Amino acid sequence: MKIDFSNSAVWKSLEKQAYHGTIEISDFPPVEYKYFSELRQIYYAFKFEGLPKEEAEKAKKHIYRQYQENLQEYQYYSDFVKRWNENIQNAGTYRSEILKTSDIVEKYILAVKCISAMTGDEPFLKTALEQLKGVSE
């Protein structure tokens, strides 16, 4: 079952479970795993090791800020990898299409698209296609 970490009621329930020591985090995504693991340790220190309430609250705020930063980084990285994989697939398609066509202009366009996909350099694609328009006019 997939947990909706963006749902505030679910989040509060998970925090309660962390407080009571009943939370099961082994299947959590990395960022949530880290947050709830650290939260569980803070709650344990508060309940059993004499960590003052103010320090526990401060520590909780700190790890929550870290969680938000880590989540943004994780989402950025995930999006990057997704785009990268799409670019690799597109480059493979362009390479195949280059070999199938005998039209030199079409080969050029496909080659430029392939290079752009492999490098992630979209300005290169735009510039190269604009230059082709200038040559063909």
Side-chain angles (χ1 to χ4, degrees), residues 95-114:
R95 289 173 52 213
S96 175
E97 290 176 12
I98 289 167
L99 297 175
K100 291 179 186 175
T101 186
S102 59
D103 181 343
I104 195 72
V105 174
E106 189 176 349
K107 276 188 186 288
Y108 173 82
I109 292 169
L110 291 168
V112 167
K113 287 181 177 181
C114 184

Side-chain angles (χ1 to χ4, degrees), residues 4-6 11 29-36 38 60-75:
D4 181 7
F5 293 101
S6 64
W11 190 265
V31 178
E32 286 77 10
Y33 180 95
K34 181 179 185 285
Y35 172 76
F36 283 104
E38 292 175 355
K60 181 180 175 185
K61 286 179 185 177
H62 174 73
I63 66 165
Y64 186 73
R65 269 192 315 274
Q66 280 184 322
Y67 164 76
Q68 291 175 318
E69 290 171 9
N70 292 341
L71 185 59
Q72 285 179 337
E73 289 173 15
Y74 184 79
Q75 288 171 336

Side-chain angles (χ1 to χ4, degrees), residues 11-105:
W11 190 265
K12 291 285 184 198
S13 173
L14 292 170
E15 286 184 329
K16 273 187 181 179
Q17 291 174 42
Y19 180 80
H20 294 295
T22 59
I23 192 167
E24 175 53 52
I25 62 172
S26 61
D27 292 331
F28 283 13
V31 178
E32 286 77 10
Y33 180 95
K34 181 179 185 285
Y35 172 76
F36 283 104
S37 175
E38 292 175 355
L39 182 62
R40 189 171 47 186
Q41 292 172 4
I42 292 168
Y43 285 152
Y44 183 88
F46 171 69
K47 288 169 55 178
F48 301 110
E49 296 175 350
L51 180 68
K53 183 177 181 178
E54 298 79 28
E55 286 185 39
E57 289 172 349
K58 184 178 176 182
K60 181 180 175 185
K61 286 179 185 177
H62 174 73
I63 66 165
Y64 186 73
R65 269 192 315 274
Q66 280 184 322
Y67 164 76
Q68 291 175 318
E69 290 171 9
N70 292 341
L71 185 59
Q72 285 179 337
E73 289 173 15
Y74 184 79
Q75 288 171 336
Y76 173 80
Y77 176 74
S78 296
D79 291 343
F80 171 79
V81 169
K82 182 180 176 185
R83 283 191 313 274
W84 185 32
N85 285 331
E86 289 170 356
N87 285 345
I88 290 170
Q89 289 175 343
N90 290 339
T93 301
Y94 295 137
R95 289 173 52 213
S96 175
E97 290 176 12
I98 289 167
L99 297 175
K100 291 179 186 175
T101 186
S102 59
D103 181 343
I104 195 72
V105 174

